[in-house]
Amino acid sequence: MHQDLLALIGQKVPEFSKGQKLIANYIVSHFDKAAFMTASKLGAAVGVSESTVVRFASEIGFEGYPELQKALQELIRNKLTTVQRMDVTNEQLENANVLAKVLSKDIERVRRTMEETSQSAFSAAVETICSARDIYILGVRSASALAQFLSFYFNHIFPNVKYINTSSRAEMFEQIMRIGPEDVFIAISFPRYSRRTAQASHYAGKNGAKVVAITDSLQSPIAENADHVLVARSDMVSFVDSLVAPLSLINALIVAVGLRRRDEVAASYARLEQIWDEYEVYEKREERPDGV
């Protein structure tokens, strides 16, 4: 329904009352702002009562205004440019305690991620990853930090991790061209979704590989062809993508996989500790002779 919401509102305009038409016209023209307005603020913006806004939501098929607001927010996730998203979030943060506001919103995203991520999908993804021959990981632009973090720790657990690190579409396909039915492809993408990641996911699935999508919605382009979808809430704070909840989900994935492969993990880290110590990888705080 999200994709057709504006079209639905436009079609029903002739049936609306005068007040509902004002709401409909405002939403169609300013859906980026309406998505973050309370019913009271939306009513005030167009000159109608809060109850009229609530009835409008029911008129177009929602249980209440919060459901309409969520639908609008989902609609705009991949439609707005960075500048538009900055305008929306800057309005929310203006004259606010930025530190408290940003942290509280990240806490809310983690909470929603915990509520919305399927435990069965998570467990199935862990099983798929642990049984794979080769593990391919791709995330581009801001999601590349998540992909790199995941591949860093998976390389300590598995001998067969392939981090796709290129800005070239041709090189990307060259790096995954041998992917097959015994492999798993982990795709990471959040709004604005990467077309390259969606294309690579499609190619991996077409070649028989299992696809694990880490994204923000079941309507995400990389979720369409995925065998397992792990949902983590993300949003833009001004011009910055908030990836706190996705990173927390990835942390959980690493821990769960590590627990499944605990013997290999223990052996790997025992060997790494020897290497780190021998080649002085980490700074050591030597105890002073006087014990201080």
Side-chain angles (χ1 to χ4, degrees):
M1 184 175 183
H2 297 158
Q3 294 179 350
D4 301 323
L5 179 56
L6 298 182
L8 172 66
I9 292 173
Q11 291 170 4
K12 293 180 72 69
V13 164
E15 306 171 17
F16 292 149
S17 66
K18 182 179 178 181
Q20 290 173 337
K21 286 179 180 178
L22 293 173
I23 299 169
N25 290 333
Y26 186 88
I27 289 177
V28 171
S29 300
H30 307 286
F31 61 90
D32 55 330
K33 292 181 173 62
F36 299 95
M37 287 181 169
T38 62
S40 175
K41 285 187 177 180
L42 179 54
V46 300
V48 301
S49 66
E50 181 177 350
S51 60
T52 301
V53 176
V54 174
R55 285 196 299 272
F56 172 84
S58 300
E59 185 70 23
I60 59 174
F62 292 93
E63 291 184 5
Y65 181 74
E67 287 71 28
L68 169 59
Q69 189 179 43
K70 287 180 182 178
L72 285 170
Q73 290 174 1
E74 290 294 336
L75 174 70
I76 69 173
R77 295 185 74 81
N78 202 34
K79 280 184 174 289
L80 298 188
T81 66
T82 300
V83 173
Q84 288 173 315
R85 292 169 77 185
M86 282 179 65
D87 288 342
V88 170
T89 52
N90 285 349
E91 285 182 12
Q92 297 177 56
L93 295 174
E94 191 174 12
N95 300 321
N97 182 329
V98 174
L99 176 62
K101 189 78 170 181
V102 171
L103 291 181
S104 65
K105 282 188 172 292
D106 277 336
I107 291 169
E108 173 64 15
R109 293 182 189 106
V110 172
R111 184 190 64 77
R112 291 186 62 187
T113 296
M114 187 166 59
E115 292 175 353
E116 297 172 4
T117 299
S118 164
Q119 180 60 52
S120 60
F122 182 84
S123 299
V126 170
E127 179 65 31
T128 296
I129 291 167
C130 288
S131 60
R133 178 186 61 186
D134 291 323
I135 301 168
Y136 294 78
I137 301 173
L138 175 64
V140 303
R141 302 186 68 78
S142 61
S144 65
L146 298 173
Q148 188 173 8
F149 183 85
L150 179 60
S151 65
F152 174 81
Y153 281 100
F154 270 14
N155 267 307
H156 293 170
I157 302 172
F158 302 101
N160 51 350
V161 177
K162 301 179 185 296
Y163 171 49
I164 313 304
N165 184 20
T166 176
S167 58
S168 163
R169 185 175 304 180
E171 288 183 7
M172 177 189 73
F173 281 108
E174 289 167 3
Q175 291 182 35
I176 65 174
M177 69 177 180
R178 292 185 177 87
I179 196 168
E182 297 178 21
D183 304 325
V184 62
F185 183 85
I186 303 176
I188 307 174
S189 187
F190 292 87
R192 298 158 73 188
Y193 305 110
S194 162
R195 180 171 295 178
R196 280 196 291 129
T197 305
Q199 290 172 336
S201 299
H202 180 265
Y203 175 84
K206 189 174 68 173
N207 282 271
K210 295 291 185 183
V211 177
V212 176
I214 300 177
T215 188
D216 69 316
S217 168
L218 294 176
Q219 283 74 47
S220 164
I222 66 169
E224 296 175 2
N225 300 306
D227 298 280
H228 312 294
V229 181
L230 305 182
V231 175
R233 283 289 163 180
S234 173
D235 206 343
M236 178 176 276
V237 181
S238 188
F239 59 92
V240 180
D241 289 326
S242 174
L243 299 175
V244 172
L247 181 58
S248 187
L249 175 65
I250 287 171
N251 277 339
L253 188 63
I254 294 168
V255 171
V257 167
L259 289 173
R260 285 288 307 276
R261 303 289 293 266
R262 66 186 69 195
D263 292 339
E264 294 95 325
V265 172
S268 294
Y269 278 106
R271 186 176 181 185
L272 282 170
E273 287 291 348
Q274 292 177 346
I275 295 170
W276 293 337
D277 185 56
E278 181 179 352
Y279 292 98
E280 300 180 334
V281 172
Y282 293 112
E283 181 70 24
K284 283 191 172 183
R285 297 187 64 181
E286 300 290 347
E287 186 174 304
R288 290 171 55 179
D290 60 2
V292 178

